[in-house]
Amino acid sequence: MTSPNTGSNSGDTTTVALPKGARLVVSVPNRFLSSKGQSVQLNTQLLDASGQTLPLDDLKLLFSSSRPLDFSISESGLVRSLKSNGFSSLTVRVEGTDLVAVQQISV
């Protein structure tokens, strides 16, 4: 697995050594927003196989929305509703790994 700026260097990419069984978990305080323009912060955790929290400090998280015309999402995971009615699957990936988490949201 690779990611920029973490682990040991090999050219432009760097190897990320995550523990076996590590998983990414994403949640929002409220997945049902009430109006256009409302914002909510995604909470992202990296857990080991036993459920203990691991640091995310050296990992780059990539955020995306399946419906970017309904919900925007910033590089820090701040989600904003762009319409009065809509839904989206919000995806968080750890760059350079196969770790992915998805959270549904609607307005």
Side-chain angles (χ1 to χ4, degrees):
M1 295 184 260
T2 59
S3 179
N5 305 321
T6 55
S8 59
N9 257 337
S10 66
D12 292 331
T13 23
T14 306
T15 301
V16 175
L18 294 175
K20 185 175 181 171
R23 60 191 166 100
L24 192 63
V25 177
V26 64
S27 63
V28 290
N30 184 0
R31 54 176 271 210
F32 299 102
L33 303 183
S34 60
S35 62
K36 178 180 178 179
Q38 189 176 1
S39 296
V40 65
Q41 179 66 48
L42 286 181
N43 300 312
T44 307
Q45 290 184 303
L46 181 63
L47 304 176
D48 66 15
S50 66
Q52 297 298 310
T53 303
L54 299 171
L56 286 167
D57 302 339
D58 294 332
L59 301 175
K60 181 172 182 172
L61 299 178
L62 304 173
F63 297 93
S64 63
S65 171
S66 66
R67 298 181 60 133
L69 296 178
D70 291 352
F71 291 90
S72 66
I73 187 164
S74 72
E75 290 183 8
S76 65
L78 183 65
V79 180
R80 178 180 214 107
S81 61
L82 302 175
K83 293 186 174 183
S84 299
N85 188 355
F87 65 92
S88 182
S89 294
L90 305 173
T91 302
V92 183
R93 297 179 188 280
V94 177
E95 186 176 65
T97 74
D98 58 358
L99 291 180
V100 176
V102 178
Q103 173 67 57
Q104 305 297 319
I105 193 165
S106 63
V107 62

